[in-house]
Amino acid sequence: MNTELPLDLPRGSAAPPRRTATPFREPLPGPTRYTTVDSPLGELLLHGDGEALGGVLTRPGNGVERSIPQDWVAEAKPFTEAARQLAAYFAGELREFDLPLAPAGTPWQLRVWRALTTIPYGETAGYGQLAGELGKPTASRAVGTANGRNPISVIVPCHRVIGANGSLTGYAGGLERKEYLLTLERAGRGA
């Protein structure tokens, strides 16, 4: 697999124009609800509190079956709009998601994940660049660790973070999926 960025995709050296950060809220108490949807990345597990999305997880690529916690409730209805927007994104018809988000994480992780939402569709940023923007210029590894724990893949675009040399690194969903998402967005930039 090619892990170098296609030449016409920004390499993250210059700061791309940013969007406004997507707001997050605290997850509501009560049971976690979930459903699965098909996508070009394989089956996605969507979970949340019934009003806001808490996670979009890809199936592990190592053949391990995903286990759903016993106290989670299978319920597709709370995810109708998320599923619709994901389908539109994968069809190249949607560039920005508009969904209520409630990821659970540490204060640092939440800061990094909010910063990810400012990277525009079809653009990329480097780990060191994000660390600098967060006021922690020597924290590129900490940014990478938080990025790798992003629970809302695709929608909170951790796939848009690349290595300083333009290489595709550090994607928990697998580099093939990261490459797919960046190629999809590169193709959709002209639309």
Side-chain angles (χ1 to χ4, degrees):
M1 175 202 10
N2 177 16
T3 58
E4 289 298 312
L5 226 47
L7 294 176
D8 60 344
L9 210 127
R11 293 187 178 268
S13 57
R18 297 296 193 177
R19 322 172 340 130
T20 302
T22 301
F24 296 157
R25 70 161 177 74
E26 291 286 322
L28 297 174
T32 298
R33 291 162 175 81
Y34 77 95
T35 194
T36 58
V37 296
D38 290 327
S39 83
L41 302 178
E43 182 184 82
L44 299 176
L45 172 69
L46 283 57
H47 67 83
D49 61 18
E51 293 181 20
L53 193 60
V56 176
L57 306 173
T58 57
R59 184 178 292 273
N62 56 4
V64 174
E65 284 297 315
R66 177 188 303 129
S67 63
I68 308 287
Q70 289 185 344
D71 60 341
W72 285 20
V73 176
E75 187 178 350
K77 187 173 180 179
F79 305 101
T80 303
E81 182 59 15
R84 185 195 70 74
Q85 288 188 33
L86 282 164
Y89 168 83
F90 286 119
E93 300 164 356
L94 180 78
R95 290 178 167 211
E96 292 185 25
F97 292 94
D98 184 17
L99 296 165
L101 303 178
T106 67
W108 171 251
Q109 289 171 333
L110 292 169
R111 279 186 69 200
V112 171
W113 300 337
R114 273 189 207 95
L116 296 175
T117 69
T118 69
I119 305 170
Y121 179 94
E123 302 289 337
T124 59
Y127 296 98
Q129 179 183 338
L130 282 177
E133 291 172 8
L134 291 167
K136 304 277 187 184
T138 61
S140 59
R141 286 185 186 204
V143 166
T145 299
N147 191 55
R149 292 190 175 134
N150 169 28
I152 308 178
S153 65
V154 182
I155 294 170
V156 174
C158 52
H159 61 277
R160 295 180 188 154
V161 183
I162 60 172
N165 65 354
S167 63
L168 303 186
T169 61
Y171 191 62
L175 291 180
E176 299 84 11
R177 289 175 176 151
K178 183 172 189 164
E179 185 173 31
Y180 175 86
L181 293 169
L182 291 173
T183 301
L184 172 75
E185 292 185 6
R186 182 191 60 191
R189 278 190 310 187

